[in-house]
Amino acid sequence: MSQSYRVAILGATGAVGTELLSLLEECRFPLADLKLLASPRSAGQTLMFQGESLTVEAVGDRAFDNIDIVLASAGGSTSKAWADRIVAAGAVMIDNSSAFRMHPTVPLVVPEVNPGAAAEHSGIIANPNCTTILMNVAVYPLHRVQPVQRIIAATYQSASGAGARAMEEVRLQSQAILDGKAPVPEVLPYPLAFNLFPHNSPMTETGYCEEEMKMVNETRKIFSEPSLRISATCVRVPVLRAHSEAINLEFAAPFSPDQAREILSQAPGVKLVEDWQANYFPMPMDATGRDEVLVGRIRQDISHPNGLELWICGDQIRKGAALNAVQIAELLIEKDWLRPAERAIATPQS
Amino acid sequence: MSQSYRVAILGATGAVGTELLSLLEECRFPLADLKLLASPRSAGQTLMFQGESLTVEAVGDRAFDNIDIVLASAGGSTSKAWADRIVAAGAVMIDNSSAFRMHPTVPLVVPEVNPGAAAEHSGIIANPNCTTILMNVAVYPLHRVQPVQRIIAATYQSASGAGARAMEEVRLQSQAILDGKAPVPEVLPYPLAFNLFPHNSPMTETGYCEEEMKMVNETRKIFSEPSLRISATCVRVPVLRAHSEAINLEFAAPFSPDQAREILSQAPGVKLVEDWQANYFPMPMDATGRDEVLVGRIRQDISHPNGLELWICGDQIRKGAALNAVQIAELLIEKDWLRPAERAIATPQS
């Protein structure tokens, strides 16, 4: 008999939290017990799981006792607030927030790319940012064959990246505009319906916003390429839940599109979507609800002999967040890496 | 007394045609007479101009007699079909279609960039593609100071690029989705509401679609830089009428963002929109209905010492089409270039 595990979802009522719930249901995760945790404000709500109604509990001091795995998706401050307690309780926290991603002792893992890094955890494993995960799944199979020298990405990010309330806001704003009324921004700083704007994460001193620097720094860490040259422009678009990215890759020598196509057609987590005759390539409506990152429009960059252009779409909530976290949990179980690596367990101070 | 001119709009009932009409009204164009032409299907419609109701006439053999300037916005096949007749009638055709843009004897003009090229016309002047115009207005002022070596662009193109019916389609599809119904694509190949897809223009053998190759080839012609290295990824997004572009520029030496900002703040047709504190940059909702190309997020490309990143938005129907055409007409009048250059008048065979 295979073992089963006690799992808690911290932030169970959010967009990623509810997706975690349905993924655990779908993927026949070996659950002994499932605990739903959220802020006191959301406690008492009920969510359906495998035909049963589960009540969301308020997170508290004893919430993580007897838990093996915590899937955290309640934002950075919540993750930071509870990390010590989770690790002290002997659980592993797989954290969707950005709180610990760049900490040197916290593995940052995309299972298709750097599964081995997960073995080195000290109680916390970070799930990368959505745009990073999607790009890494598509680019790494090529990078393995011939190291990429430079990446220039432009993103087309859906409302789901700002949470369930932002998705609802886009719907409400769209209806308002169709009715001839003014759209009201509340969650996002500007109207997103029939509009778009550069990603509203805080600006860094480089002129890149934090979302863009996540793509740069997280990719470097995941690829173990600390000086990989990356530039990104992140943009929110009025799509509900899948992100798209135009990715320009530069290699040290030519990389034929046919070879790239061959590699990506067999790459884990990738689905090649290219019908050149029908002009049919990855679209958010097709990526929504799917596990794979859709990749297509693989072209020789006509502006550089060693360049390749890719176009990708992926479900931001699924592979961009919840699915990647569940895959990390499955990896820990499969490899028997749930117990922290043999060294002092210490919560990083971020 | 300054002279006035007899103008015909060919394709008066389309998205660009109606914008031409309102521009001629706004800009106090020295009109002696205005004739509205369209296909027999649209003939008989009336459009308001300066408080008067004008009836749209069916284009025909004598339609261009006694006309000085034809503003053509009825598509490539209509432009090709009537070009001979227009030139033979002694009028200048300013053509919004792609029919003659790359013909060696037809000037392709963005007045802020290469006004002098207009002097060389033989009866036809081509208006560039919308994405090209917007990019060229923003990039050329920098290129003049230090030649750009390579451009990598990703576009976010509104429905208006596919015409008034596509704009209506996005509205209808959005309402359908909000009502829980399936969106029906008719004008565009796939649903655009809450979705996006690579530009659906015909694919070329390079793997770039025609829209992308327009950005490449037209920019080379307008800049008189036949081997300028350019790559583009063109994408349709669910915005109604302004296009956005993420533009990565590579120079032969560093180009400081502050110098670029200084240059662009004084560049013709450009409005600098940057509030770094408020994270406020160009957006389609702000570009809609405006003449200027909004430029912002000017950043040092952290992946290349000689790189700059720009983010631009511009009204696709206005500066991307109708306004640029009216500006060409004004240029011809101002410089007294209405009569063709002193050589044989010959309609190019495209």
Side-chain angles (χ1 to χ4, degrees):
Chain A
M1 288 296 287
S2 62
Q3 227 184 313
S4 59
Y5 302 87
R6 296 157 299 179
V7 173
I9 298 177
L10 176 57
T13 57
V16 175
T18 52
E19 192 70 20
L20 283 166
L21 207 62
S22 53
L23 279 166
L24 291 177
E25 199 164 55
E26 281 174 37
C27 73
R28 303 171 164 275
F29 193 90
L31 276 180
D33 186 38
L34 178 62
K35 193 175 212 172
L36 306 184
L37 299 169
S39 65
R41 189 169 49 84
S42 297
Q45 290 186 32
T46 57
L47 294 169
M48 291 302 292
F49 183 74
Q50 294 180 334
E52 278 181 59
S53 170
L54 298 185
T55 302
V56 178
E57 301 172 39
V59 61
D61 280 352
R62 315 300 309 170
F64 306 104
D65 291 355
N66 302 313
I67 293 290
D68 299 307
I69 299 168
V70 177
L71 301 169
S73 61
S77 55
T78 305
S79 290
K80 281 183 197 170
W82 296 100
D84 274 336
R85 184 79 55 175
I86 290 168
V87 174
V92 176
M93 174 165 79
I94 301 171
D95 184 23
N96 268 291
S97 84
S98 62
F100 300 109
R101 284 180 193 151
M102 296 311 297
H103 195 282
T105 69
V106 173
L108 183 65
V109 177
V110 180
E112 293 87 344
V113 176
N114 63 339
E120 303 303 316
H121 76 85
S122 305
I124 303 174
I125 296 178
N127 209 37
N129 194 46
C130 47
T131 48
T132 308
I133 294 175
L134 302 177
M135 180 169 82
N136 284 204
V137 168
V139 172
Y140 188 73
L142 306 176
H143 178 71
R144 273 187 65 184
V145 173
Q146 194 189 141
V148 67
Q149 309 273 304
R150 186 183 178 206
I151 302 174
I152 299 171
T155 72
Y156 302 68
Q157 298 183 226
S158 61
S160 56
R165 286 180 58 226
M167 295 168 77
E168 182 58 18
E169 177 160 298
V170 170
R171 291 177 165 274
L172 292 172
Q173 288 176 351
S174 299
Q175 190 62 64
I177 290 171
L178 292 171
D179 293 343
K181 296 176 193 152
V184 181
E186 288 179 354
V187 180
L188 293 167
Y190 308 109
L192 187 55
F194 304 111
N195 191 36
L196 52 83
F197 48 82
H199 197 281
N200 56 298
S201 53
M203 198 55 66
T204 72
E205 60 188 12
T206 57
Y208 286 68
C209 67
E210 285 184 1
E211 184 81 357
E212 291 160 350
M213 292 312 296
K214 287 175 186 173
M215 291 184 81
V216 174
N217 294 324
E218 295 180 13
T219 301
R220 288 173 171 172
K221 179 170 177 174
I222 296 163
F223 281 20
S224 293
E225 298 280 2
S227 52
L228 181 56
R229 294 186 293 141
I230 307 175
S231 183
T233 299
C234 290
V235 179
R236 289 200 193 274
V237 296
V239 166
L240 292 175
R241 69 173 271 178
H243 287 358
S244 308
E245 302 179 20
I247 302 175
N248 181 286
L249 301 174
E250 190 179 315
F251 298 90
F255 201 127
S256 94
D258 283 342
Q259 192 196 355
R261 202 166 279 121
E262 175 65 24
I263 290 165
L264 288 170
S265 68
Q266 298 171 36
V270 169
K271 177 157 175 67
L272 202 62
V273 174
E274 287 194 322
D275 183 339
W276 291 87
Q277 304 290 291
N279 213 326
Y280 173 72
F281 300 107
M283 296 193 284
M285 62 180 281
D286 293 337
T288 295
R290 289 196 66 143
D291 290 348
E292 303 94 341
V293 176
L294 310 185
V295 183
R297 290 212 75 201
I298 302 167
R299 291 172 282 160
Q300 166 70 45
D301 174 356
I302 54 173
S303 78
H304 198 295
N306 305 338
L308 264 189
E309 294 270 13
L310 303 184
W311 169 253
I312 73 168
C313 291
D315 188 310
Q316 179 271 327
I317 303 181
R318 212 165 167 99
K319 180 58 186 171
L323 175 63
N324 198 72
V326 171
Q327 286 175 321
I328 292 171
E330 290 173 331
L331 175 69
L332 295 178
I333 290 169
E334 180 198 332
K335 300 286 189 185
D336 198 16
W337 289 341
L338 269 180
R339 282 165 49 88
E342 290 300 322
R343 54 188 141 74
I345 297 172
T347 307
Q349 305 302 312
S350 72
Chain B
M1 289 293 289
S2 64
Q3 226 185 313
S4 60
Y5 302 86
R6 297 156 299 181
V7 173
I9 299 177
L10 176 57
T13 57
V16 175
T18 52
E19 192 70 21
L20 283 167
L21 207 62
S22 53
L23 278 167
L24 291 177
E25 200 163 55
E26 281 173 38
C27 73
R28 303 173 162 274
F29 193 91
L31 276 179
D33 186 38
L34 178 62
K35 193 176 212 173
L36 305 185
L37 299 169
S39 64
R41 190 169 49 85
S42 298
Q45 290 185 32
T46 57
L47 294 169
M48 292 304 290
F49 183 74
Q50 294 180 333
E52 278 182 58
S53 169
L54 298 185
T55 302
V56 178
E57 301 172 38
V59 60
D61 280 351
R62 313 302 308 172
F64 306 103
D65 291 355
N66 302 314
I67 294 290
D68 298 306
I69 299 168
V70 177
L71 301 170
S73 62
S77 56
T78 303
S79 290
K80 282 183 198 168
W82 296 101
D84 274 336
R85 185 78 54 173
I86 291 168
V87 175
V92 176
M93 173 165 80
I94 301 171
D95 184 22
N96 268 292
S97 84
S98 62
F100 300 109
R101 285 181 194 150
M102 295 311 298
H103 195 281
T105 70
V106 173
L108 183 65
V109 177
V110 179
E112 292 88 343
V113 177
N114 62 339
E120 303 302 315
H121 76 84
S122 304
I124 303 174
I125 297 179
N127 209 38
N129 194 47
C130 47
T131 48
T132 307
I133 294 175
L134 303 177
M135 180 168 82
N136 284 204
V137 168
V139 172
Y140 188 73
L142 306 177
H143 178 71
R144 273 186 66 183
V145 173
Q146 194 190 141
V148 67
Q149 309 272 305
R150 186 182 178 206
I151 302 174
I152 299 172
T155 71
Y156 302 68
Q157 297 183 225
S158 61
S160 56
R165 286 180 59 224
M167 295 168 76
E168 183 57 20
E169 177 160 296
V170 170
R171 290 177 165 275
L172 292 173
Q173 289 175 351
S174 299
Q175 191 61 65
I177 290 170
L178 292 170
D179 293 342
K181 296 176 192 152
V184 181
E186 287 179 354
V187 180
L188 293 167
Y190 309 108
L192 187 55
F194 304 110
N195 191 34
L196 52 82
F197 48 83
H199 197 281
N200 55 298
S201 54
M203 197 55 66
T204 72
E205 60 189 13
T206 57
Y208 286 67
C209 67
E210 284 184 2
E211 185 80 357
E212 291 160 349
M213 292 312 295
K214 287 174 186 173
M215 291 185 81
V216 174
N217 294 323
E218 294 179 14
T219 300
R220 287 173 171 172
K221 180 169 176 174
I222 296 162
F223 281 20
S224 293
E225 297 280 1
S227 52
L228 180 56
R229 295 185 294 141
I230 308 174
S231 183
T233 298
C234 290
V235 179
R236 288 201 194 275
V237 296
V239 167
L240 292 174
R241 69 172 270 179
H243 288 356
S244 308
E245 303 180 20
I247 302 176
N248 181 285
L249 300 174
E250 189 179 315
F251 298 90
F255 201 128
S256 94
D258 283 342
Q259 193 196 355
R261 203 167 278 123
E262 176 64 24
I263 292 165
L264 289 171
S265 68
Q266 298 172 36
V270 169
K271 177 158 176 65
L272 202 61
V273 175
E274 287 193 321
D275 183 340
W276 291 88
Q277 305 290 293
N279 213 327
Y280 173 72
F281 301 106
M283 296 192 283
M285 63 179 279
D286 291 338
T288 295
R290 289 194 65 144
D291 290 348
E292 302 96 340
V293 176
L294 310 185
V295 183
R297 290 212 76 199
I298 302 169
R299 292 172 281 162
Q300 166 71 45
D301 174 355
I302 54 172
S303 78
H304 198 294
N306 305 339
L308 264 189
E309 294 270 12
L310 303 183
W311 170 253
I312 74 170
C313 291
D315 188 310
Q316 179 271 325
I317 301 181
R318 211 165 167 98
K319 180 58 187 171
L323 174 62
N324 198 72
V326 171
Q327 287 174 319
I328 292 172
E330 290 173 330
L331 175 70
L332 295 178
I333 290 169
E334 181 198 332
K335 300 286 190 186
D336 198 17
W337 289 340
L338 268 180
R339 282 167 47 90
E342 289 300 322
R343 53 188 141 74
I345 297 173
T347 308
Q349 305 301 313
S350 73

